[in-house]
Amino acid sequence: MPGMSPSTPPTRFAYLGPEGTFAEAALSIAVASSEGARYPQPSVPAALAAVRSGDTDAALVPLENSVEGSVPATMDGLADGEPLVITREVFLDVVFVLAARPGTELSAVRSVASHPHALAQTAGRLAELLPDVVPLPTSSTAAAAEAVAAGEYDAAVCAPIAAERYGLVPVVEDLADHPGAATRFVLVEPAGVLPAPTGNDKTSLVVVVEDRTGALLDVLREFSVRDISLTRIESRPTRERKWVYSFSLDCEGHVADRRVGEALAALHRVCEDVRFLGSYPRADGRQNRPVPAMADDPAFAEADAWLAAIRARA
């Protein structure tokens, strides 16, 4: 199938920086340090822009958190601009500490900073420990740790690796309101060659539907009639037209699978716009549901042959 042949692996990786972020830790899981250079970026849009400009070959960015949900900057960044495709997903368990400069006592903390998602995941504990402190947002957890090291804030909510990287010490450990949270990161590359099917894949896309009754139902029907399971669906404003929304979807299967390919083709027919965001191996530890015999590729091929035989007599 076109787009399934081997490609040159990326060797230059952008990620949400600075050094010490959860994104850097996730990138270390996805790609061995010996396989390429790392380039921290100040924001998710900057990481995606580095790929689009050709400054890097790929970017590792957060897509969603098990507690706080999706990361809007990533969802919007993939939905707009020059197309990029997801080639891999990585799940990282998230552990937060309240880190400060050595010698700082909890009672001396008057300012706390971190990424908004981290602050949301620790809001309860922070309110309990520091009821008079209003947390301040930063571009990343590591940026907050770096600012604490520079004396801009008293403490940061960050990963243990960030505290160590910037010479801070944990004042409070296991800070999360809901222990066991995880963040899903995705590796994105320029649109081109796709990972080969593994038999346990996901496909991601963004669709824009008309403002009419039943439009979303039409989208869902294309998956339902082909027995394709959706693993995620959420809406986002298109930002180009008021009150017109796009839907970000993940489904089981690979675009090389006949039923998934036909579903995407049908969506292209019934939707205002469809943006394919990639097919890639599933990494959440779950297995795709078995494909019913009537929906597997041989069944599609047999149906095609049957129809072709009838049309040949026309």
Side-chain angles (χ1 to χ4, degrees):
M1 169 173 286
M4 299 299 168
S5 58
S7 62
T8 303
T11 58
R12 301 172 300 158
F13 299 92
Y15 67 91
L16 175 61
E19 294 182 355
T21 57
F22 289 108
E24 182 186 24
L27 181 57
S28 297
I29 295 173
V31 182
S33 58
S34 60
E35 294 182 15
R38 274 92 162 127
Y39 300 94
Q41 304 296 318
S43 65
V44 167
L48 299 178
V51 181
R52 290 183 168 119
S53 68
D55 290 340
T56 63
D57 306 317
L60 195 286
V61 291
L63 182 64
E64 61 177 327
N65 177 266
S66 61
V67 174
E68 288 303 308
S70 63
V71 179
T74 300
M75 293 184 64
D76 293 341
L78 294 177
D80 300 328
E82 184 179 345
L84 299 172
V85 295
I86 299 169
T87 57
R88 184 168 181 178
E89 66 176 5
V90 179
F91 288 82
L92 181 73
D93 292 334
V94 177
V95 177
F96 294 110
V97 299
L98 184 68
R101 294 180 294 278
T104 303
E105 299 290 337
L106 181 63
S107 59
V109 174
R110 296 291 180 267
S111 58
V112 175
S114 192
H115 186 274
H117 266 216
L119 294 178
Q121 292 177 65
T122 57
R125 291 293 310 282
L126 288 175
E128 175 188 334
L129 297 167
L130 301 166
D132 298 324
V133 175
V134 177
L136 301 171
T138 57
S139 60
S140 70
T141 55
E146 186 177 34
V148 170
E152 298 177 30
Y153 308 107
D154 293 331
V157 176
C158 62
I161 185 178
E164 181 180 353
R165 184 73 58 89
Y166 293 103
L168 308 180
V169 295
V171 177
V172 179
E173 301 197 47
D174 296 326
L175 190 65
D177 294 340
H178 303 280
T183 296
R184 176 189 177 200
F185 294 83
V186 290
L187 188 69
V188 299
E189 302 180 36
V193 176
L194 302 177
T198 67
N200 196 48
D201 304 291
K202 285 182 183 176
T203 291
S204 297
L205 61 150
V206 175
V207 301
V208 178
V209 298
E210 296 180 52
D211 182 13
R212 60 177 175 81
T213 302
L216 178 58
L217 179 60
D218 287 343
V219 171
L220 299 179
R221 184 182 296 113
E222 299 301 342
F223 293 99
S224 177
V225 298
R226 295 171 178 85
D227 207 50
I228 299 172
S229 178
L230 292 177
T231 60
R232 182 180 64 89
I233 177 171
E234 52 191 300
S235 63
R236 291 287 299 164
T238 60
R239 299 188 296 178
E240 295 179 356
R241 289 180 292 168
K242 291 181 180 179
W243 318 124
V244 175
Y245 290 83
S246 64
F247 291 90
S248 178
L249 308 166
D250 291 341
C251 71
E252 292 184 348
H254 194 286
V255 68
D257 301 336
R258 286 288 297 274
R259 63 193 185 121
V260 176
E262 285 204 359
L264 267 60
L267 291 176
H268 188 271
R269 177 176 53 81
V270 302
C271 297
E272 288 192 8
D273 187 39
V274 178
R275 173 167 287 206
F276 173 70
L277 296 181
S279 292
Y280 46 91
R282 188 168 188 168
D284 56 7
R286 299 181 179 182
Q287 294 294 314
N288 288 353
R289 295 183 309 123
V291 179
M294 66 179 181
D296 61 15
D297 282 7
F300 275 98
E302 182 180 358
D304 283 346
W306 173 79
L307 181 60
I310 293 176
R311 286 176 170 171
R313 300 198 301 268

